[in-house]
Amino acid sequence: MATFLRRIAMLQCFLMINLTFLGFGIQGVNSLGINYGQVANNLPPPEKVLELLRSLKLTKARIYDTNPQILSAFANSGVELIVTVENDMLGVLMDPQQALQWVSTHIKPYFPATRITGIAVGNEVFTGDDTSLISNLVPAMVGIHGALAQLGLDQYIQVSTPSSLAVLSNSYPPSAGCFQTELAGIMTQYLHFLSSTKAPFWINAYPYFAYKDDPNRISLDYVLFSPNSGMVDPYTKLHYDNMLYAQVDSVIFAMARMGFGGIEVRVSETGWPSKGDTNEIGATVGNAAIYNRNLLRRQLRSEGTPLRPNMRLEVYLFALFNEDMKPGPTSERNYGLYQPDLTMAYNVGLSALSTTSSTSSPSSSSSSSSPSSASISLTSSANTNVSPLGN
């Protein structure tokens, strides 16, 4: 009897250890996703990519199309997918019948076996040069949402569009955040759509760009989530110890200024390149590892921003792989955590995040210059009659 009881006790202990480990691995990064780009000619097949995600215990991913091979491979995996409508489809999908046909062809055959949770309609449309795309965006979103509703899928799949931080004319201090004047009309329509459908505002936010453009005035520690004195918003008195959270809160304030104070903001892209051209200051393996590692540690703590501390910030890292066919500077091809052969580009520490202490930057100190230039425009006055806190 004593032997039997000892075995039961050992089994209970074993189960507790395993459940604790699984909770750390899966639940601990529940607010973290990864961008799975495919602008490359040497990527592994989707089945291998799924194995990689499972090994990293990542349960959310975003793709930049509706690749049927990926949608099929991810069936019954439990991985939540955000799919994308390419920019050149927006004009077509303004037509409700075309939108219904698109959803019936690209979404319905795979759902619910493949857990499609979001449709990104275009990417960074508001800050592009094509004004027709901008005018077509909201009608296309309305068409796709209407098609989802017609098929009974709207309660499962959200419709939004990822925007560049350049939609803001001011982002510093966060309480002065406001949208570009020329976007006022279309932005009102867009925010009304998000509010009525309870969908999030997706923002592509890269502190790296701010640092690269002004490394003498912006603290590297501040952009890397490393220990630093941070900054205090002079109007809200909120303290910020990293640029990403300040950028997110500036979007929240910008929406509140337009009368939409309860919309959730999610980071659809953020990351740091591990390699760049000679003029791409800060694009190093060391900085990329520190940025992503420290961000992952924040995600394990299910943090919110200073403005919404009790609302966990959902973040999608960019990117899973280095993509060798992406145009532009060298950095564009070196945001990946992994090489296409599934070896690590650098060790971000996904398997060793048991500590929540941030890693200090090896190339800067906490006494670096103030992060006050982490913005699109440095001069503005905050409107204190807005309520951005949401729920």
Side-chain angles (χ1 to χ4, degrees):
M1 183 67 177
T3 301
F4 175 76
L5 290 175
R6 280 197 300 271
R7 288 177 177 174
I8 291 294
M10 289 175 65
L11 177 61
Q12 289 176 332
C13 182
F14 175 80
L15 288 173
M16 287 181 66
I17 291 172
N18 275 274
L19 288 172
T20 301
F21 174 79
L22 289 172
F24 176 82
I26 298 176
Q27 295 179 353
V29 290
N30 194 45
S31 58
L32 178 70
I34 193 85
N35 283 279
Y36 171 14
Q38 304 155 62
V39 188
N41 58 10
N42 54 358
L43 295 180
E47 293 79 9
K48 291 292 186 182
V49 175
L50 179 59
E51 290 179 13
L52 175 62
L53 294 181
R54 282 173 166 163
S55 72
L56 299 175
K57 297 182 172 61
L58 291 173
T59 59
K60 296 182 180 182
R62 174 189 170 209
I63 60 176
Y64 291 82
D65 52 20
T66 53
N67 186 317
Q69 285 77 34
I70 294 176
L71 295 181
S72 297
F74 279 53
N76 303 309
S77 67
V79 175
E80 298 179 13
L81 273 182
I82 296 174
V83 301
T84 301
V85 177
E86 292 90 338
N87 287 0
D88 58 9
M89 285 295 296
L90 300 189
V92 174
L93 298 179
M94 293 172 60
D95 181 343
Q97 288 304 313
Q98 293 291 333
L100 179 60
Q101 181 177 341
W102 187 91
V103 173
S104 298
T105 302
H106 294 85
I107 304 298
K108 189 173 184 294
Y110 304 98
F111 185 89
T114 301
R115 293 190 63 188
I116 301 170
T117 59
I119 298 176
V121 182
N123 187 53
E124 299 191 349
V125 172
F126 289 127
T127 50
D129 296 327
D130 192 334
T131 56
S132 64
L133 282 181
I134 297 174
S135 60
N136 293 342
L137 177 59
V138 175
M141 295 175 70
V142 171
I144 291 171
H145 183 266
L148 290 171
Q150 191 171 336
L151 296 171
L153 304 178
D154 58 309
Q155 61 182 311
Y156 308 105
I157 302 174
Q158 295 178 316
V159 178
S160 188
T161 188
S163 294
S164 160
L165 197 71
V167 294
L168 300 182
S169 60
N170 284 330
S171 65
Y172 181 84
S175 62
C178 60
F179 291 111
Q180 298 281 357
T181 304
E182 59 268 28
L183 295 175
I186 188 67
M187 193 59 67
T188 298
Q189 298 173 39
Y190 171 55
L191 295 178
H192 183 268
F193 172 84
L194 296 183
S195 179
S196 62
T197 61
K198 297 183 176 8
F201 190 109
W202 285 333
I203 189 73
N204 296 341
Y206 288 88
Y208 161 72
F209 291 132
Y211 176 76
K212 176 182 71 73
D213 291 341
D214 199 357
N216 293 323
R217 297 181 62 199
I218 296 178
S219 163
L220 183 58
D221 286 329
Y222 181 67
V223 295
L224 292 179
F225 295 92
S226 293
N228 68 98
S229 58
M231 56 83 65
V232 175
D233 188 302
Y235 301 99
T236 64
K237 307 305 180 185
L238 293 173
H239 177 261
Y240 292 86
D241 66 357
N242 70 85
M243 183 181 287
L244 181 66
Y245 288 4
Q247 291 176 335
V248 169
D249 280 355
S250 67
V251 174
I252 297 173
F253 271 104
M255 292 192 296
R257 274 193 170 74
M258 302 192 72
F260 297 90
I263 297 173
E264 181 182 0
V265 175
R266 297 178 184 173
V267 179
S268 41
E269 289 182 16
T270 192
W272 197 284
S274 59
K275 185 179 180 181
D277 296 321
T278 55
N279 63 337
E280 294 186 289
I281 299 173
T284 67
V285 168
N287 287 340
I290 292 170
Y291 181 83
N292 286 317
R293 188 179 298 128
N294 284 340
L295 177 57
L296 289 170
R297 285 179 172 140
R298 300 291 183 118
Q299 289 290 291
L300 282 170
R301 299 203 293 262
S302 297
E303 283 190 350
T305 66
L307 186 60
R308 291 178 174 174
N310 298 320
M311 181 181 288
R312 183 183 60 197
L313 179 64
E314 186 165 301
V315 174
Y316 282 71
L317 282 180
F318 188 87
L320 185 57
F321 294 111
N322 284 336
E323 300 171 66
D324 67 341
M325 296 181 68
K326 291 197 72 173
T330 298
S331 62
E332 287 295 316
R333 295 175 289 282
N334 289 278
Y335 275 89
L337 302 183
Y338 283 82
Q339 304 288 1
D341 64 1
L342 298 176
T343 59
M344 289 186 293
Y346 52 88
N347 187 359
V348 74
L350 270 170
S351 59
L353 288 170
S354 58
T355 174
T356 58
S357 61
S358 293
T359 304
S360 297
S361 164
S363 53
S364 70
S365 67
S366 60
S367 60
S368 300
S369 60
S370 167
S372 62
S373 53
S375 61
I376 296 170
S377 174
L378 299 181
T379 57
S380 65
S381 59
N383 181 348
T384 56
N385 296 320
V386 295
S387 178
L389 294 176
N391 296 328

